[in-house]
Amino acid sequence: MPFPARFSRTSPRKVGLHGRNLLECPVLNKGNAFDMRERDLFGLHGLLPANVTTLERQVARATRRLAALPDNFSRHVALREIQDRNETLFHAIIAQSLEHYLPIIYTPCIGRACRQFSQIWTRPRGLFLSYEDRGRLADILSDPQWDNVRVIVASDGGSILGIGDQGANGMGIPIGKLALYTACGGLDPACALPIELDVGTDNATLLEDPDYIGWRHPRVRGAEYDAFIAEFVEAVEARWPRIALHWEDLAGADALRILQRYRGRMCTYNDDIQGTAGVTAGALLAAIGAGAAPVAQQRIVIFGAGGAGCGIADLLSRLMIADGMDPQEARRRFFMIDVDGLVRQGMAGITDGQRPFAQPADIAAEWHVHDPARLSLADVMARVRPTMLVGTSGQGGAFTRDIIAPMATGTAHPVIFALSNPTANIEATPADLLEWTDGRAIIGTGGPFAPVVFNGQERPVDQINNSYVFPGVGLAVVAGGITRMTDGMFLAAAHALAELSPAAHAHGAGSAPLLPPVSELPAVAASVARALIRQGQAEGVAPPATEAETEAALRHATWTARYQPYEKVDG
């Protein structure tokens, strides 16, 4: 039987808080929607206006106020303030239109929100665990208010989107990710915990900012950093044996090392590495269904060989191997470009994630390039003539007409995914990519873009965003009792996503989107969760269950934004 969710959706909720303490608890506060019976029970008379309203009226009022604000960043700040007061109202607002609100609560607004987090932070949310807290992390986590936690998103603020080291300001990312777990995956906000692992920052601007809320110290690295992470993981394991620990935006090589160290002992995953890979693989499968070259014919250039790029290469190579390709041949199909050019065997500084995809040292012996010691993106594109190009570099404008030209002439439907965020860091705009390929490219971006009109035809622009995968992961862990996250499960997520592709059922590449619309993300999360649970059961990392039991567990685990009636805790 799947591990059951803790929260009843039908019976009255037992509440132990009283008076102002109840009003100050965001997951329980209803504002002036507390009825007279509840005001009697919980001592709320005098603390609230006389009028009793409804959630629907609160949503309508808040929506009018949000619409009157001057820009989306102002709306982001206002929504965060609502979230800190009343989680149910916040998510009821979002549920009106995911497509409208997701760019406000996450990408692209989240980048600016992290830069200015110290200025917009007003109320505690989640946990800031500072390096100076070492030795007492278990005590901090032991607080009873965290008893129901099932999903943690943890970041060290070291590599936030495309804007780099943001220190404690990186807390905006765990908060935003968990908002999407609920908005898209139905995770009960009461079982979500954002954590910022504050190990200092090397961002001089923050260290000199009098408003900066974090630990004013250079970033801790090496053995001291690893010991702090180890203390944190051990405390989490002891506190919550059945937890999903989601790592986000860790600095540099730390991300892959931490994932490899702990993934075999608990249910942990890195969304930058595995979630990005899962949605990219799903989008590629959808593109193949829409006319792109089949898996066996793919030659893939990845510009940006950090955690996300390596995760994409790893999962796509597994896709090729599952399709029958020899593992060594599959890895030879990938050409990864880092700061020192094409990753090749024998190069200094190759990471563990890059090493399996390093090309032979003498690959350029007959290429006749200007600098054989450093093979640029232009060199590789001209000689490899790839079928797929992925950008995870954070270098805005890196894909030019000349860079794309070899793909445009050598591939019927080149697949180009420019995934860097925020929007200013994207490698190329959708409009340019379509122009440079005569409209034949199948494109995707990391952030939201409006449809592009090309030759009089409106072309959708797919957002190849992790929100198509990670909310389903959280739902699967809560509903299905998953104890480990495996590579096979992320492949299963990719196939589940591809099966939902509108493009697979359309006529002509580019005539329909690769991925379902954002408005359908809750349904996508449910499909991904089913696939993960089935794969977890097949691999022995989830308890067996019938299909009917799994469906019942998914329904029970899915939270919706509505006010439950409250009763006092007995005694």
Side-chain angles (χ1 to χ4, degrees):
M1 203 40 203
F3 186 75
R6 296 173 181 266
F7 308 104
S8 171
R9 306 291 173 236
T10 55
S11 60
R13 186 167 188 168
K14 295 287 188 179
V15 173
L17 298 179
H18 188 82
R20 189 171 295 279
N21 289 334
L22 176 56
L23 297 179
E24 292 181 353
C25 178
V27 297
L28 296 175
N29 183 27
K30 302 181 185 181
N32 60 340
F34 282 104
D35 61 28
M36 289 302 174
R37 180 191 64 83
E38 291 170 328
R39 296 183 190 203
D40 290 339
L41 279 176
F42 297 103
L44 300 177
H45 290 292
L47 298 177
L48 295 169
N51 179 56
V52 176
T53 190
T54 64
L55 177 59
E56 291 73 20
R57 289 175 182 163
Q58 289 176 329
V59 168
R61 179 171 179 264
T63 301
R64 289 194 298 272
R65 294 179 65 187
L66 289 166
L69 293 174
D71 53 48
N72 276 351
F73 181 69
S74 301
R75 296 180 186 101
H76 174 96
V77 174
L79 279 164
R80 283 281 294 106
E81 291 172 349
I82 292 171
Q83 185 182 21
D84 284 340
R85 294 195 311 269
N86 185 331
E87 291 265 14
T88 303
L89 174 57
F90 170 81
H91 283 290
I93 294 168
I94 305 306
Q96 294 178 104
S97 174
L98 280 174
E99 192 164 358
H100 174 72
Y101 284 105
L102 257 59
I104 298 174
I105 64 173
Y106 205 69
T107 304
C109 284
I110 195 69
R112 181 178 173 187
C114 286
R115 281 196 175 102
Q116 297 183 221
F117 191 84
S118 291
Q119 285 72 41
I120 66 176
W121 181 81
T122 56
R123 292 185 60 173
R125 170 170 289 272
L127 290 172
F128 290 85
L129 301 179
S130 167
Y131 184 73
E132 293 194 313
D133 291 322
R134 62 194 185 280
R136 57 187 177 196
L137 299 185
D139 289 340
I140 295 172
L141 297 179
S142 68
D143 192 301
Q145 69 178 304
W146 312 123
D147 285 352
N148 289 327
V149 169
R150 293 298 314 282
V151 178
I152 288 172
V153 176
S155 176
D156 69 1
S159 184
I160 299 298
L161 301 172
I163 60 177
D165 183 353
Q166 296 298 308
N169 282 359
M171 180 56 133
I173 295 294
I175 291 172
K177 284 283 186 179
L178 284 168
L180 299 192
Y181 268 108
T182 298
C184 306
L187 180 74
D188 191 319
C191 64
L193 179 60
I195 294 181
E196 171 63 28
L197 299 168
D198 186 359
V199 293
T201 179
D202 293 332
N203 186 324
T205 300
L206 293 179
L207 291 173
E208 295 169 3
D209 182 355
D211 293 332
Y212 179 55
I213 61 175
W215 182 43
R216 296 177 185 275
H217 192 279
R219 184 169 286 274
V220 173
R221 302 186 185 278
E224 293 176 327
Y225 175 90
D226 286 348
F228 181 70
I229 296 296
E231 181 186 346
F232 168 67
V233 172
E234 288 163 9
V236 168
E237 281 184 295
R239 178 72 165 91
W240 301 284
R242 293 180 177 269
I243 194 80
L245 176 56
H246 165 154
W247 300 100
E248 188 71 30
D249 289 349
L250 299 183
D254 296 332
L256 184 60
R257 186 180 69 257
I258 289 170
L259 176 63
Q260 291 175 334
R261 182 169 296 171
Y262 298 112
R263 66 182 304 186
R265 62 189 258 189
M266 66 184 302
C267 183
T268 190
Y269 49 95
N270 186 299
D271 190 50
D272 302 306
I273 297 173
Q274 295 161 293
T276 303
V279 68
T280 304
L284 174 59
L285 288 169
I288 291 169
V295 169
Q297 297 176 20
Q298 288 287 334
R299 299 181 307 282
I300 301 173
V301 170
I302 299 178
F303 184 61
C310 291
I312 290 169
D314 182 69
L315 197 66
L316 294 187
S317 69
R318 294 177 187 275
L319 193 64
M320 293 176 177
I321 293 166
D323 196 53
M325 190 179 293
D326 174 77
Q328 187 173 354
E329 170 62 20
R331 288 188 284 271
R332 281 200 298 262
R333 299 295 187 94
F334 292 84
F335 300 82
M336 305 191 72
I337 315 294
D338 204 358
V339 291
D340 295 320
L342 177 65
V343 175
R344 290 180 287 175
Q345 296 165 4
M347 289 177 62
I350 293 180
T351 67
D352 289 342
Q354 295 169 353
R355 189 166 288 109
F357 305 98
Q359 290 289 330
D362 63 352
I363 188 173
E366 299 180 1
W367 281 15
H368 306 294
V369 295
H370 173 69
D371 183 4
R374 187 184 185 282
L375 299 176
S376 68
L377 175 61
D379 293 331
V380 173
M381 293 294 290
R383 274 72 183 182
V384 172
R385 305 177 76 83
T387 57
M388 181 180 187
L389 174 62
V390 179
T392 56
S393 67
Q395 296 185 29
F399 295 170
T400 64
R401 182 189 294 272
D402 289 342
I403 291 293
I404 299 299
M407 292 186 82
T409 58
T411 306
H413 294 294
V415 177
I416 307 174
F417 293 160
L419 303 183
S420 291
N421 275 310
T423 304
N425 295 71
I426 193 168
E427 288 83 3
T429 65
D432 283 343
L433 292 173
L434 287 174
E435 178 187 344
W436 299 335
T437 60
D438 296 323
R440 292 181 290 104
I442 299 175
I443 60 176
T445 59
F449 276 84
V452 175
V453 176
F454 182 81
N455 283 348
Q457 180 184 7
E458 188 174 89
R459 297 281 296 272
V461 179
D462 282 281
Q463 186 178 356
I464 314 298
N465 190 282
N466 298 13
S467 57
Y468 282 94
V469 171
F470 74 80
V473 174
L475 180 58
V477 171
V478 173
I482 291 170
T483 59
R484 300 289 185 276
M485 289 301 302
T486 68
D487 294 317
M489 295 166 78
F490 283 98
L491 275 180
H495 282 286
L497 184 56
E499 288 173 4
L500 300 174
S501 170
H505 309 288
H507 300 289
S511 60
L514 297 178
L515 302 179
V518 168
S519 60
E520 295 181 13
L521 280 174
V524 172
S527 294
V528 168
R530 289 186 190 95
L532 292 178
I533 292 170
R534 286 195 298 267
Q535 185 67 24
Q537 291 166 347
E539 296 188 42
V541 294
T546 65
E547 185 174 334
E549 288 172 333
T550 297
E551 289 301 315
L554 287 168
R555 287 193 300 273
H556 189 64
T558 302
W559 180 89
T560 54
R562 62 179 179 83
Y563 289 142
Q564 289 180 261
Y566 292 166
E567 298 289 350
K568 289 191 70 172
V569 171
D570 297 334

